[in-house]
Amino acid sequence: MDKFKISQLRDYFLKTNDTNVSFKDLSKEDLLGLAIMSIFDKKGETISGEKYSYERPDGIIDENEFNITRKEYEKAIKQIYKQLKKETDNEISAVKMPSYDDLQAMMENDKKVDINEIKLFASKGVIKKESAEKPEPVLVPAKTGTNELSYDEKMAFIDNAMINHETEVYRILDAIEAAEANGTTAFNFTGLTDEVQNTIDEFEPDNDAAFNLQDGLDGKQFNENGQMITRINNHAGFYEKYKYDNPETQEYSEMMRYKGNGYKAEYWRRETLTDRDGKTFEGKVQYILDEKENVYKIVLPPNAQPIQLITDFNDFMLYDRVMRYDQDIYKTGE
């Protein structure tokens, strides 16, 4: 077998890449998976043009292509590790290199292995299970109770707000009083959260689980692409459900966090944002929900450009809850 070189990996990537991801943006798992595929995946369709012709690999290693001895494979893995560590900025030692036996186990049932299985092993150290072995999906608990805050919880919320956010609460109160004195409206948030609120209300979890993985106190379920679709955070008592725009990525596009009583508590999604230098980037925005599952706080990533409208919204909603809970407590104490 020829000595593995980084040019072999780049050539395979160019022949098979049909996304807008560049080589420099590949993850450690991507690089390892492509490197292993470049050794074995040779068959595919012929791509022809006026001045070129090449064989496009099919993204699968079948048992006939895995024609290498254990010793040769172990040597190739060492070469891959050395080349990736030398030629890229990725810390490749964190990924899990599949052994000769691991690849054979991946091929055991369907006589083939694809890059997603290798990437899954590289990140999780798990061999994908066959569909016949799929576990029962972990479902979000059915809603129980009304999700209303107790007397003590309302008191704790007000205390926390006045200790940590007193300035924001009184800023909004002063603005409202000034507007009322002038016969105007202090704040108008019409339509600010309508679109995301509809998305939250209509969110349907993906329950197509392919295998389970226990990670300390956390129980996790993954789909056929090795993407985590469910996480049970036993320490915090939350259930998390994840969705993905692309079957090839490990970066989720949406995440809903549920309380143990089945009510939605937080929603995260990837959005196009503007940073402090005016450049656009993809970042995750957090939407925190109240007891009625309505957005009451929007949290942008730290590197995003601050937006006064969102700051006013967050402060106003905090003020509104303090006032409502204060009234509830007063009525309860009558």
Side-chain angles (χ1 to χ4, degrees):
M1 187 190 75
D2 295 334
K3 185 176 181 179
F4 175 83
K5 297 180 180 179
I6 199 73
S7 58
Q8 180 177 337
L9 165 57
R10 291 179 182 275
D11 181 62
Y12 185 86
F13 171 74
L14 291 173
K15 287 180 178 179
T16 59
N17 183 41
D18 55 5
T19 70
N20 58 1
V21 177
S22 64
F23 185 81
K24 66 181 180 63
D25 293 327
L26 292 174
S27 67
K28 300 183 293 292
E29 292 79 17
D30 288 327
L31 290 169
L32 174 68
L34 289 168
I36 292 177
M37 296 297 289
S38 72
I39 295 175
F40 302 105
D41 182 21
K42 305 299 182 182
K43 296 187 300 185
E45 60 176 328
T46 300
I47 307 296
S48 300
E50 292 184 5
K51 298 182 179 180
Y52 66 87
S53 178
Y54 68 92
E55 190 84 358
R56 176 186 170 90
D58 59 8
I60 294 172
I61 304 172
D62 62 37
E63 60 180 355
N64 294 323
E65 290 176 306
F66 193 52
N67 52 357
I68 189 173
T69 66
R70 184 187 301 272
K71 186 175 181 179
E72 289 174 325
Y73 178 79
E74 291 173 352
K75 182 178 179 180
I77 286 296
K78 289 181 180 178
Q79 292 171 351
I80 288 173
Y81 177 82
K82 182 177 180 180
Q83 285 289 311
L84 292 182
K85 190 173 182 181
K86 176 182 177 182
E87 300 291 340
T88 75
D89 294 329
N90 287 277
E91 181 48 64
I92 205 69
S93 61
V95 303
K96 300 174 176 61
M97 301 284 188
S99 68
Y100 186 83
D101 291 333
D102 291 329
L103 274 182
Q104 286 192 321
M106 293 179 196
M107 294 186 185
E108 186 174 345
N109 293 306
D110 56 4
K111 310 301 181 184
K112 62 183 180 181
V113 59
D114 61 38
I115 190 170
N116 288 323
E117 293 178 83
I118 297 176
K119 286 165 56 179
L120 168 63
F121 187 92
S123 61
K124 308 294 181 183
V126 174
I127 296 174
K128 188 173 73 174
K129 306 299 182 184
E130 289 302 298
S131 58
E133 302 176 41
K134 285 184 179 181
E136 287 295 320
V138 173
L139 304 178
V140 175
K143 290 182 179 179
T144 57
T146 64
N147 203 37
E148 292 290 334
L149 273 65
S150 67
Y151 179 94
D152 289 341
E153 287 172 330
K154 289 177 180 178
M155 285 288 293
F157 184 93
I158 294 174
D159 289 343
N160 178 73
M162 300 311 292
I163 291 172
N164 298 305
H165 305 285
E166 181 181 16
T167 301
E168 293 90 332
V169 171
Y170 280 107
R171 179 179 81 85
I172 297 299
L173 178 60
D174 291 343
I176 291 174
E177 290 179 345
E180 288 177 346
N182 295 326
T184 60
T185 301
F187 301 101
N188 181 9
F189 305 113
T190 303
L192 178 63
T193 59
D194 288 356
E195 184 270 332
V196 71
Q197 188 67 56
N198 288 336
T199 302
I200 290 168
D201 294 342
E202 298 171 1
F203 184 89
E204 290 292 337
D206 178 5
N207 293 316
D208 189 15
F211 61 92
N212 295 334
L213 183 65
Q214 191 68 30
D215 185 7
L217 290 176
D218 292 347
K220 300 178 179 180
Q221 285 195 327
F222 296 79
N223 61 19
E224 289 285 353
N225 300 315
Q227 298 165 320
M228 184 170 64
I229 59 171
T230 304
R231 174 177 175 240
I232 306 174
N233 186 334
N234 285 305
H235 178 73
F238 287 112
Y239 291 75
E240 295 170 353
K241 288 289 188 177
Y242 299 79
K243 288 186 177 182
Y244 301 82
D245 286 336
N246 187 334
E248 299 292 330
T249 184
Q250 297 298 308
E251 286 286 341
Y252 67 82
S253 56
E254 298 177 69
M255 185 270 275
M256 188 72 75
R257 180 172 289 163
Y258 299 81
K259 297 179 182 179
N261 62 3
Y263 283 84
K264 298 167 183 174
E266 295 177 24
Y267 175 69
W268 298 66
R269 71 175 183 182
R270 295 188 64 83
E271 298 181 15
T272 301
L273 303 169
T274 303
D275 67 17
R276 296 173 185 271
D277 296 324
K279 298 179 181 178
T280 58
F281 71 101
E282 289 292 316
K284 293 172 183 172
V285 180
Q286 178 189 17
Y287 297 90
I288 303 177
L289 312 181
D290 63 16
E291 65 271 26
K292 298 184 184 299
E293 298 185 330
N294 293 323
V295 176
Y296 93 91
K297 188 174 183 179
I298 304 171
V299 183
L300 299 178
N303 55 330
Q305 175 66 38
I307 300 174
Q308 187 62 45
L309 181 63
I310 292 178
T311 299
D312 289 343
F313 173 82
N314 291 341
D315 290 349
F316 178 83
M317 297 304 289
L318 176 68
Y319 157 83
D320 183 66
R321 291 185 78 180
V322 168
M323 294 298 106
R324 286 191 290 109
Y325 293 166
D326 186 67
Q327 286 294 316
D328 292 345
I329 289 169
Y330 175 76
K331 292 176 182 178
T332 303
E334 288 182 336

